[in-house]
Amino acid sequence: MSVYYREVANEVDLFTRCYEQQLPLLIKGPTGCGKSQLVAHMAEKLKRPLVKVACNEDTSSADLLGRFLIKGNETVWQDGPVTRAVREGAILYLDEVAEAREDVIVALHPLTDHRRELYVDRTNEELVAPAGFMCVASFNPGYQRGFKELKPSTRQRFVTLSLSYPMPELETEILHRVTEVDLKTCQRLVELGNKIRGQRHLELKETVSTRLLVHAARLFKSGMSLRQACLFGVGQCLSDDVQVLEGLKDLIHLSM
Amino acid sequence: MSVYYREVANEVDLFTRCYEQQLPLLIKGPTGCGKSQLVAHMAEKLKRPLVKVACNEDTSSADLLGRFLIKGNETVWQDGPVTRAVREGAILYLDEVAEAREDVIVALHPLTDHRRELYVDRTNEELVAPAGFMCVASFNPGYQRGFKELKPSTRQRFVTLSLSYPMPELETEILHRVTEVDLKTCQRLVELGNKIRGQRHLELKETVSTRLLVHAARLFKSGMSLRQACLFGVGQCLSDDVQVLEGLKDLIHLSM
Amino acid sequence: MSVYYREVANEVDLFTRCYEQQLPLLIKGPTGCGKSQLVAHMAEKLKRPLVKVACNEDTSSADLLGRFLIKGNETVWQDGPVTRAVREGAILYLDEVAEAREDVIVALHPLTDHRRELYVDRTNEELVAPAGFMCVASFNPGYQRGFKELKPSTRQRFVTLSLSYPMPELETEILHRVTEVDLKTCQRLVELGNKIRGQRHLELKETVSTRLLVHAARLFKSGMSLRQACLFGVGQCLSDDVQVLEGLKDLIHLSM
Amino acid sequence: MSVYYREVANEVDLFTRCYEQQLPLLIKGPTGCGKSQLVAHMAEKLKRPLVKVACNEDTSSADLLGRFLIKGNETVWQDGPVTRAVREGAILYLDEVAEAREDVIVALHPLTDHRRELYVDRTNEELVAPAGFMCVASFNPGYQRGFKELKPSTRQRFVTLSLSYPMPELETEILHRVTEVDLKTCQRLVELGNKIRGQRHLELKETVSTRLLVHAARLFKSGMSLRQACLFGVGQCLSDDVQVLEGLKDLIHLSM
Amino acid sequence: MSVYYREVANEVDLFTRCYEQQLPLLIKGPTGCGKSQLVAHMAEKLKRPLVKVACNEDTSSADLLGRFLIKGNETVWQDGPVTRAVREGAILYLDEVAEAREDVIVALHPLTDHRRELYVDRTNEELVAPAGFMCVASFNPGYQRGFKELKPSTRQRFVTLSLSYPMPELETEILHRVTEVDLKTCQRLVELGNKIRGQRHLELKETVSTRLLVHAARLFKSGMSLRQACLFGVGQCLSDDVQVLEGLKDLIHLSM
Amino acid sequence: MSVYYREVANEVDLFTRCYEQQLPLLIKGPTGCGKSQLVAHMAEKLKRPLVKVACNEDTSSADLLGRFLIKGNETVWQDGPVTRAVREGAILYLDEVAEAREDVIVALHPLTDHRRELYVDRTNEELVAPAGFMCVASFNPGYQRGFKELKPSTRQRFVTLSLSYPMPELETEILHRVTEVDLKTCQRLVELGNKIRGQRHLELKETVSTRLLVHAARLFKSGMSLRQACLFGVGQCLSDDVQVLEGLKDLIHLSM
């Protein structure tokens, strides 16, 4: 099944050039703005296999590079996703790379500069990435967790693309294409999303993603009233604060 | 044995639509308001097996996804509850999801968006959830432990339902149905519960749950005086502070 | 050998009713007030086996539920104390439950509500507790370590009994029965205990337990002077502060 | 070889009575005041084997209770020191018990009250201590590390003996007996020790132990000048602060 | 393929002398100033194999020295990179040595002083480094993370070389040689780099490295406008702060 | 090859007497003042094997005492360095003992008092050290890391020797003997060293060690100018602060 993707800026062009020039790419942007979809779309377009790694602070380098497993009475080596990506010349997607422990990131340094090498210490193997291999990472600077920033020595290995939410017409079209809900309703949902995005005084940790609008559209499509669909699919998902929730509820009642 | 469940808002409707639309659902609400019962009831209603996971900060992803065990002189793979739930197309219930470590939650991300995939790295297997699979999570925003909030990138994957304690008539009926204590006594217990719930100056960490009223009703049914049943089953369970306990005791003496 | 136990409040009655109604029981009270003795006594009275677990922050859920052991060239499963208690329909006593890590406590949640189930993930076994099974926990709110409180979602699963030190006549009798020291001396020891308990300005972390009085009585019985027995068995055990120790010494010299 | 021990207070009497009455004993006192020697002496006197455990924050309960070892192709159980002490009816000496992790201490609770039981969870064995078993612990309240205190529920299980440095005549005699240096020199060393112990303004973390005086006597006996012996064996061991060291040097020069 | 390297100061001379005199060398300097390239160049020039270790806080001494692996039914020893470097008389390059845990560094102490020994405790082997072995380490003092400094006892084992960014003419030449972009454009890129390096009020964590200029040149070479190449390859990589990014954008628009 | 060692104070005498009297010795002093060389020299002089342990916070007691290894299909015990030293009657040198974890240090307590015993819990073996065994430890009080001090109960087990840098004539001679550089140049290097040691306002974390002067002499011997040799071998090694480095550079330019 082909991934539906609609370009926001000229990110497809930049991605393609980085691929051709063998430069690693960092995609920064808020939750649900389409970072993962872009990568899935590009893998399809460039006809490369895609290997995704959801980075988190408990992933060890063994999880990424591989480990020995005991099978029957033999020890067999099993490649981790990164090693697999290098062998296959895949697009390696490190989702939320800033969440990873530094040892994991540092182990990937030789892979992300001119060397394009991966050293798998446990098997004492040094792999050179084939031409088709590309390393892409994403991170969300909006969390503002200062202690989870990338070190400059990591950051400066990547060409950087900054993504944000799509413009209204585009977001409406995306909503319509993904959910098959009528264009008029999709437009009203996008309007609601942008109204909430404009309410800076609500001090939401993160604002309405396209994903939330998709959820509301789907609930509506299943027969729920639009107002209820927005309450359960958008409002309740943005805060636990009673007063903020009241504000969101009012906004939804006025709009729907 | 069928689970007894009485709808509070229109949560059964929302749950059903999410199931049909293949949207994950987050249920938020205070201790003992019936989150687990709702899920058990819906699993029965939707005729899906139910797999429960009590989330906590020491659960590893191996606990959830599975591990290799040495049996005799062979290594056999044993599915963890999440993997089992995906294979069986079950309802997966992540109880108190905010307690889980991020690595566990992040590993479930591909399962909770449009991909509905689970990648089991140890076996290098990629499972796609069947239509019957649904992911439900619960959490209690009342604990106010800021450092145990869900990240927006997790939160925005779920349609959100907010549950609270049932209205007096409904809670009385529930009490009566569950304990078989006479309706009159059940009503007095619910009145006591609501009186205590109203005492904001007591600064209780969490207020009286329906579960506590059930306990008091059961102690009464076993032959204890109602006053004592409320002291042991409700009052003593809400605080360790001597003055607060005196206040609760007075309230119970006045009411019973 | 039968456990000697003298009822302080009507704790035996409450314990019995909880047992009959299949409600879990939490016993709170200061060090050495007789929490463990009550449980031992009730197990005997109710003719149930007793399984004790001393909770602490390093106990893992494997310690409680069980683990696989390699014996010869086979892997055999060994039940942990909780699993054993459920299988045997025993009284499970979780001593100082607030010391346990949350993962251990949360794993016991389904065992302490209406489900009365224990899920042993490593063997993928779901045990339902037989009628004779009862879960009892103890904790000491006096330590005032705010960060070691029980979560409301745990706390509200238990009917709660608050125990304290027995009244003078009763404590004298207990001392006499346990140590076989003459009643007159036991009375003087209890008087000393209550004098020290009244010295709030000494700011002792925890005051004189019945256990300390038993120790002093035993040292006296072995031929030591009562004064020395109280110094070594009571005074020195309550503080390391030179001035506080001087105060305790004066009190003992005046009383003995 | 018999352990040389000279009684300071009437600690031998108290130790003997605790042994007879099967009461655990806690010995508190400063570094090098003879806590270990007392225990070694008593083990000899009471004709019981002695099992010593140097407690520290990294000792696991497996270190104390025992573990399974793979020998050849069989798994054999090996008792830890505590289990061994219980089986042999030995005197178990927990040196610096406050350094141990709580799980280790809590696991020993049933061994230190009327139950005198040890539950070895890994073998599912419940040992009852024979009459000859006694549990002795030491700790040094002088370190003033508030966060390494014993919990009252542990503390109150032990009869408590407070030891300090011996009186001058006695310390002189001990020095002479242990090192075979002439009595006159021993007396001068003890005088120096007491002078330094009196210098509270030096704010030493811990003052001169009998052990340091023994070292100085031994260096003197090997042919070094008394002054140098005191500098290397006493002065340099008490501080790294240049000014404090100057002060100690002056004191030694004036005295020797 | 030969490594392209252009000398900045007289670092090649110093490196050679250290190699001849068997002195370890520490190279300090900012991100991307050419530390790794220098080492690669020297290994080639001195005809020694090069063993690189990317230091990080999770590397254990087993990762560096080696470990036992179970292969089939035998245990075989596998050298880690450091052991391998010593055996082969290679140049050992500890990249970002200040990131390593102290145990790792301390284990290398005997290798970095007159002893030139490596003790592999797990195999109980003591290796003496052959004449061709040299230990080189790099670190970046610019991170200003005080808690990640090297201990003096480590620092003073190394002769120290301080590298910085090359002078404009040299940097232009490097850019041209590496990317094959025309000299004129390379000069404009270096000018932009130095303009940004001069903007101290932007308070960038780390400034423009030669590597970033290489990236911009490559994007330009692939057909992108120079302005866009600088935005994606330089500007976006230096900060996530909206205002700082605006400033950088203005600078790029003015210059390109 | 014989170790070159030149006595600074009368440390050889003190070391010899401690060896004869079987007293453990602690050597304190700044980086590179010759602590390790003294120990190596004495081992040679006393004709005892030398076992060195570089202490650090990650060394486990298994690293020191030994561990079971699986070889083929058998488990074999392998002595750690401490156990080996005790068996062989060697001089055990614990370098930077204050860096070790307390459990490691505490496990060595019985070895460093009159008992001279080592208890290897994993093999249940109690070794008594032969006459030739001696325990020597070093530590550097200059780091002033208050939290890495030795506990008094450890400290008072050791006779203590305080070493510092040798007097100018002696240091010159050492330099000349070790590097074979002419005496005149060595003298100028020592003068530079003492000038820098006198610059307290530079607030260097640790000052110039003899080792740094040896490095500068070696670089000079390889043909580098004395000024450059001092810049790379001394100045750059003492600080990363630009202003401090300027000050050091000026001093070197003025002196060389």
Side-chain angles (χ1 to χ4, degrees), chain A residues 105-152:
Chain A
I105 293 177
V106 165
L108 302 176
H109 274 188
L111 197 58
T112 51
D113 60 25
H114 66 282
R115 291 173 278 179
R116 289 173 64 89
E117 291 166 7
L118 180 69
Y119 177 64
V120 185
D121 57 352
R122 278 172 190 80
T123 57
N124 199 7
E125 218 181 336
E126 203 162 63
L127 301 171
V128 176
F133 172 83
M134 178 181 183
C135 179
V136 183
S138 78
F139 104 110
N140 183 342
Y143 288 172
Q144 284 150 314
R145 293 200 266 162
F147 56 93
K148 274 272 188 159
E149 287 183 4
L150 287 170
K151 288 172 50 179

Side-chain angles (χ1 to χ4, degrees), chain B residues 230-247:
Chain B
C230 289
L231 272 174
F232 291 130
V234 178
Q236 286 286 355
C237 310
L238 291 171
S239 179
D240 299 321
D241 185 286
V242 178
Q243 301 206 335
V244 171
L245 283 173
E246 279 306 309

Side-chain angles (χ1 to χ4, degrees), chain A residues 220-240:
Chain A
F220 169 74
K221 195 179 156 198
S222 80
M224 199 175 261
S225 78
L226 195 53
R227 194 179 272 187
Q228 286 237 322
C230 289
L231 272 174
F232 291 129
V234 178
Q236 286 286 356
C237 308
L238 292 171
S239 180
D240 299 321

Side-chain angles (χ1 to χ4, degrees), chain F residues 168-186:
Chain F
E169 295 73 32
L170 190 52
E171 196 168 27
T172 304
E173 191 195 320
I174 291 170
L175 227 59
H176 172 62
R177 282 284 300 268
V178 168
T179 65
E180 292 173 4
V181 163
D182 67 288
L183 265 171
K184 183 76 199 156
T185 306
C186 290

